[in-house]
Each structure stands twice: as C-alpha cells, then as structure tokens.
Amino acid sequence: HASSAAVRMRLISRATLSVSLTWSLALPVFLPSPAQAEFYGAGMVGLSTGNVPDEENDPRFGQARNPNWFDLNLFGNWSGLYGGKVGYFFASHPWLGLELETFVNQYDTRRVRPVTSGMTTSLQITPTTTRVITTAANVILRYPDKRVQPYVGIGMGLFFARASDYLVSASDVTPGLSALAGLRGFLTDRIALFGEAKWNSATLTFSNGDQFDIRGTYSVGSLIVGLSI
C-alpha cells in the first residue's frame, strides 16, 4: 500500500539521519589518539520506569477511524535493563571523556482498542510488549580521583522501538536525549564498580494504518549498577 511505503520511507530516512548524527559524536571513541589516557569497557544491569506514548499525548486521538492507545502504570511497571558501554578519557584533559552505550528496556503495557459488534462498541484490553533498544553517545565530565570518581554526562540517543501483541505490531526509529550521573569506585587499578542514574527521552510514533496510530513522549528514568575494566 502507498501508506505503508510512505511509513517505511519515513523510518528509513529518520534512521539514516539519526545514525549519522549519533556516530558523528561516537566515532572518536574508536579512533586511536595520542591524547587517549584511559580506555574502558563496562557491563551494566538495572531497573527503569517511565511512560510510553498514550492517548493523552496523541493530538489525533478521537479522530482516527479505529483509535487505540497504550496505558502504562507510571511508577507501577518497572522494566529490567541490561547493556554495555565503551569510552575513554583524554590525557590532556583527564576530567573529559567520550562514551558510547547500548542498552535494552522491555515494558509490559496494554493496548486498548474499540471493538464494534452491530450497534455496540466495547473496549478490548490486549497485553502488549513495548521493547526499546537505546544507543547513546555521551560527553562525560568526571572528578579524576584514583579511587572514587563522581561523574555526569549528556548526549544524543538513537531509539529503536517496537510495540507488539498477538494481533499486530509497529516500529519506530528516532533520535532523542540522554543524560546521566554516577559514581565509580575502583577495586583495583583497573577494575571498578559503578552506580548510575540515567534519563532518556524521545518522541515515538507507532504507525501501522488504522491498527496503530500513536505519537507520544517516551521518557524513562533508570537506576543501574555495573562493572568496568
């Protein structure tokens, strides 16, 4: 269908632009540099909560022929988080670093849709899974102590989102914001534990004809722990 082709072209164009912007920030992480003082890799796990697009954030709600929406119990539904990151700090500016991270969230939500039978319309609640893969490039500022290092970071994320149930599914790829603050403590000269608070935000659009037609804000906060080397 023409509408499906238009949606695919929009996703491809947005993904191409977003990947270009993200990697233009993240590419220095992978380039050797005489200024590099400290390279690290880390794994992390945690919990996150927040909101996904719902009917209140969709200006088209009530206008679509078959409107439907998601309902996430804010601060009631928590998502597990897992992922990893790589980065480095400069020798000339040991307080300044660049970092690339990727992590996965998956929320159990509900899709509510009207079902018409004859002259009667009822609401059907369908269990739905919303999965978001985030890749973010961040600029990191830290206090370069040898044992305990508080740090903050800000950057741009690329969000790969998919909402699905046993009936239909829809996907989106869009850029967004990334912010974090944490504390790293070294167990040895090379191994450290860290705890981190993270916030990510983006505007997601799930569009699949009349089956999905949702646009809203994805905004989540996360608490994570990890091990870096």
Side-chain angles (χ1 to χ4, degrees), residues 119-200:
M119 300 295 292
T120 304
T121 299
S122 60
L123 295 179
Q124 182 181 80
I125 299 176
T126 305
T128 304
T129 297
T130 302
R131 181 182 178 90
V132 182
I133 301 175
T134 302
T135 298
N138 301 307
V139 176
I140 307 295
L141 302 177
R142 70 170 178 178
Y143 178 72
D145 186 75
K146 292 184 178 298
R147 287 301 176 190
V148 179
Q149 298 179 349
Y151 61 91
V152 295
I154 190 169
M156 172 177 284
L158 183 61
F159 298 83
F160 301 84
R162 181 177 180 84
S164 62
D165 56 31
Y166 69 92
L167 293 172
V168 292
S169 64
S171 301
D172 191 23
V173 181
T174 189
L177 298 177
S178 171
L180 57 93
L183 183 69
R184 179 182 292 110
F186 283 84
L187 304 177
T188 70
D189 290 340
R190 296 182 177 273
I191 300 176
L193 290 174
F194 65 93
E196 191 173 288
K198 190 183 302 293
W199 174 77
N200 298 101

Side-chain angles (χ1 to χ4, degrees), residues 22-45:
T22 301
W23 281 100
S24 67
L25 293 175
L27 186 59
V29 173
F30 301 102
L31 297 178
S33 169
Q36 178 176 328
E38 180 184 329
F39 179 87
Y40 63 91
M44 56 188 182
V45 295

Side-chain angles (χ1 to χ4, degrees), residues 52-101:
V52 295
D54 58 32
E55 79 284 6
E56 294 180 357
N57 294 325
D58 186 356
R60 295 167 295 179
F61 177 71
Q63 301 175 6
R65 287 177 296 170
N66 183 23
N68 58 89
W69 65 91
F70 289 96
D71 177 25
L72 176 66
N73 182 12
L74 185 62
F75 299 115
N77 287 0
W78 288 81
S79 165
L81 176 154
Y82 62 91
K85 59 175 70 181
V86 293
Y88 73 84
F89 290 92
F90 296 96
S92 56
H93 303 288
W95 47 268
L96 176 64
L98 297 175
E99 181 178 273
L100 179 65
E101 63 178 356

